[in-house]
Amino acid sequence: MRNVILTALLSVIAVVSGNVEELDDKFKDYLKHELWLVEFYAPWCAYCHTFEPIWHEVGAELKSMGSPVNVGKIDTTVHTSIASEFNIRGYPTIKLFKGELSFDYKGPRTKDAIIEFTNRVSGPVVRPLSSVQLFQHVMSRHDLIFVYIGRESLLKKEYYKAATEYIVHTYFFTASEEVLPKAVTLQDVPAVAVFKDRTYYLYNEFLDDDLSSWINRERFPSYFQIDSFSLYQMGELSKPVFLHKYYIFFTFFFYLPYFPIPFTVNKLSEVERPSIIVLNMTIDGYCLPESKIETIEDLLRFVNSVLDGSAKLLGGNGFLQHVKRSLYKAKSTVVSMFQAAPFFSCFVFGLPVGIVALVIWATCTAVPADDEKPVEGATASPVLDAHGKKAIELQPDSTEKTSEAKKED
């Protein structure tokens, strides 16, 4: 029995490297009984090579913490069926498998952020807050949390359902009225509250949308360090962050390593930091101030120019911009491939070029076949003469027959 188990484990794990296990397509057999944090990668991906040391740090940290989560990675160019089954569209892709559910990680590619995501998602979807001290401890550790207050109800069922969907973004708790801060005033119980920005907001089932939509809108702090993933999530919600429904307003106090392609083609890559930018998420456009902003009056003047349409709109999603972005993305992909795996990239691009060149060479150097000659002894096709009558068919002994015919005449 022991040998059978050992053989099964070896069939699942191809290579063990430190705290990260190299997996094959049979690891799916263990997903129902174990927690797995898996990186889907490709050998030619430059980002995957840059991310590899961080991934090993994640594995080592989780193992030292005694986490029940196994850390692995799988090469989707070898196990292509895995890439199709799990809908892998980019690299590196990180997924946490918990029973029959899978959760995509779309945050910053840092060790601390990935470990925080892993600990949050691998644990209970909704965690109880049983004391005032525990509530204060949680508030000191997290900038934003959702809390359900009260006993069993239909609202609680909706809350658990929404928590399962949005656990990848934030924490969900339950608590009684006794453990809440004294500053919290409830008009009715049960209730759902979000604590953020050093205050709290209550869900109103009559004024707000359904609970899931409300949680999806309120899971963003009013001011926070943004990345390309949260940027587009906010854009999809059309969340009014500053003054206008269709614009998102923030300060570039840092460089975004995962800033989206639509905003990297024009002058955005040349913007000095810190700077101010206004993004139009509906058309992938943006506005930059024409002069340096030093006072509040300069800032208000710039914002008003955006609102009244006088500010120059850069970027956009027109045909020319799509072409530029496609060329930019193709160039970036090819360069990253050659930097990460030059020999493999030469083979990938050289093979089809070589085949096409061989076909062209064979076509140009081919010798045309000679015209077919009549086979000796073959009968020619009947030909009509000028009067529309059949001509005499030539046979091999046609000359002898003609002489005999003359003698008879």
Side-chain angles (χ1 to χ4, degrees), residues 12 21 50 74 92 96 137-138 161 166 184 192 244 267 270 276 301 311 325 348 352 356 368 393 408:
V12 174
E21 300 177 0
T50 304
I74 186 167
L96 189 144
H137 174 72
V138 168
K161 183 178 179 181
Y166 297 111
V184 177
V192 176
H244 197 270
K267 298 180 180 179
E270 305 173 1
I276 303 296
R301 192 178 303 110
R325 289 165 189 157
V348 169
V356 172
E393 295 182 356
E408 290 179 359

Side-chain angles (χ1 to χ4, degrees), residues 24 49 56 86 99 102 118 123 127 166 183 193 260 275 299 304 338 353:
D24 59 24
H49 287 274
H56 282 274
F86 293 106
S102 65
T118 304
R127 306 164 191 244
Y166 297 111
S275 183
L299 176 59
N304 288 329
F338 275 95
V353 172

Side-chain angles (χ1 to χ4, degrees), residues 20 24 44 47 49 102 135 151 159 170 195 224 234 265 271 297 386 409:
V20 176
D24 59 24
W44 51 260
Y47 296 109
H49 287 274
S102 65
F135 192 100
R151 297 182 179 181
Y159 180 77
T170 187
F195 292 83
F224 65 103
M234 295 174 72
V265 178
V271 173
E297 288 74 16
D409 294 340

Side-chain angles (χ1 to χ4, degrees), residues 148 153-164 192 203 205 209-212 215:
Y148 173 85
S153 66
L154 293 177
L155 182 63
K156 188 174 183 179
K157 294 181 179 179
E158 295 180 17
Y159 180 77
Y160 269 76
K161 183 178 179 181
T164 303
V192 176
Y203 168 67
E205 58 183 334
D209 295 332
D210 61 278
L211 180 61
S212 178
I215 290 176

